[in-house]
Amino acid sequence: MDFQITREELLQGLYLTQGIVERRTTIPILSNALIEASSDGIAISATDQEIGVRRRCHAKVKKIGSLTTGARKLYEIARECPDGTITIRALENNWIEVVAGKSRFKIVGLDAAEFPRMPTVSTDKDVDQTIIPSATLREMIGRTIFAVSNDDARLNLSGLFFERPEAGKIRVVSTDGHRLSMITRSVESAVVSPGMIIPRKGVNEINKILESGDEPVTLQFSPGVVHMSRGPVDLSMRLIEGEFPDYKQVVPQRSAHRMLASVADLLAAVRRVSTVSSERTHGIKVTLNGSHLELSSVNPDLGEATEEMTVDYDGPTLGIGFNATYLLDVLGVLGDVQQVEIGLNDEVSPGVIRAEGDPDFLYVVMPMRM
């Protein structure tokens, strides 16, 4: 195998492998990237046997073939090389040579025949397909990924739940048991289907692919596997097994009282008050009295903080505790939204947060005892 490729193109191909290849593994080849050269260019792949990515790259191929080598080390080498053309060729005993300008490297590889197969969707009639604009998928992930559970013991909460609740719509839901985020958007070619849980690591890789460009995303779902394709990139991953909780039971059917506030003002106020909150619970108290909102935090080890602001609220006097981090997370992903609505019932019921003008997004947060 022998080919020439621009430094920028090689970096783009290797970038997508960095979050997938295993740092510590008993299977050495899982730390490697597979590079395949053909008459059409090259393809760079990586897998951890649960997630696999493949990116096609433009290259001038002199000799077709394949090899594997350390994905992180080759990325480091390419990053340090000067702009211009990089030549990569296979040597004997699975070694490879990398030449860039006056720099020359020889690095060890492994037999490409040992590279494991990546997860793939089935080719039978069970596959269904959804096409989503990149901007839409980026928004849906951004408004839900922060609420995914970090507790590996609760595997069914450690990913995003995707479902098609009705024809032409797709919904993404996340929860860690203390809060829930849900967003629904209209898309093309979406059919009603049961939900599937995409693992957090896989979602992070999808986000990398969505960082640039506006090409639409094609998602193909089959039992146990989801496949994403966009431009020159293909990403496949195994879905999380298990049942996602019945999220509809968590969402209050109605809110007796509603507060409307500026997103920017509320975000800044919560951030300031939370600076003295407990590092373990991050608890703050929200007290409403007419159009008067008071945020407060008391920490015996640090002190206390209060801040007042004017809001639109016509319910009874109400005091309720929340985890400040949970409020900051959702307020921080609302983008250009000017006002936020918080629906409340009493001191012990969940709060429901909605973005003004967007009925298809909601966030449910459980209260805290203060």
Side-chain angles (χ1 to χ4, degrees), residues 148-195:
V148 170
S149 174
N150 292 314
D151 184 357
D152 292 334
R154 308 181 71 180
L155 192 60
N156 63 329
L157 303 185
S158 62
L160 292 184
F161 180 68
F162 279 68
E163 71 170 350
R164 272 64 62 83
E166 58 183 276
K169 289 186 179 293
I170 191 166
R171 176 174 294 158
V172 179
V173 188
S174 62
T175 181
D176 60 7
H178 303 286
R179 35 116 175 239
L180 177 147
S181 191
M182 179 173 73
I183 185 169
T184 305
R185 290 291 184 260
S186 298
V187 297
E188 296 180 15
S189 308
V191 297
V192 179
S193 69

Side-chain angles (χ1 to χ4, degrees), residues 14-91:
L14 289 169
Y15 170 67
L16 295 177
T17 70
Q18 301 305 293
I20 294 178
V21 293
E22 296 290 307
R23 292 178 182 270
R24 297 184 181 90
T25 177
T26 57
I27 307 175
I29 203 163
L30 294 183
S31 298
N32 282 18
L34 170 68
I35 303 178
E36 301 168 289
S38 68
S39 57
D40 297 326
I42 70 164
I44 301 176
S45 307
T47 184
D48 63 0
Q49 298 186 305
E50 295 295 322
I51 303 171
V53 67
R54 185 173 188 266
R55 188 190 191 279
R56 297 174 294 281
C57 303
H58 298 292
K60 183 179 180 181
V61 177
K62 295 183 178 180
K63 184 178 180 181
I64 65 173
S66 59
L67 58 83
T68 80
T69 191
R72 298 186 189 279
K73 187 55 62 179
L74 184 57
Y75 183 69
E76 290 174 7
I77 290 172
R79 194 171 52 190
E80 297 302 325
C81 286
D83 288 334
T85 300
I86 296 176
T87 298
I88 297 179
R89 62 176 60 95
L91 304 176

Side-chain angles (χ1 to χ4, degrees), residues 28 40 110 121-122 124 151 161 169 198 200 236 264 307 320:
D40 297 326
L110 292 171
V121 295
S122 63
D124 59 26
D151 184 357
F161 180 68
K169 289 186 179 293
I198 298 182
R200 183 198 309 108
S236 296
E307 180 152 348
I320 184 169

Side-chain angles (χ1 to χ4, degrees), residues 130-148 159-165 168-174 181-188 190 203 206-207 210 217 219 221 333 358 360-362:
T130 298
I131 300 173
I132 309 177
S134 290
T136 299
L137 185 56
R138 225 173 0 242
E139 178 196 32
M140 297 183 82
I141 292 174
R143 289 195 176 186
T144 52
I145 187 66
F146 61 87
V148 170
L160 292 184
F161 180 68
F162 279 68
E163 71 170 350
R164 272 64 62 83
K169 289 186 179 293
I170 191 166
R171 176 174 294 158
V172 179
V173 188
S174 62
S181 191
M182 179 173 73
I183 185 169
T184 305
R185 290 291 184 260
S186 298
V187 297
E188 296 180 15
V203 175
I206 292 175
N207 260 339
L210 297 174
V217 173
L219 293 177
F221 296 91
V333 300
D358 186 358
D360 292 324
F361 169 73
L362 67 81

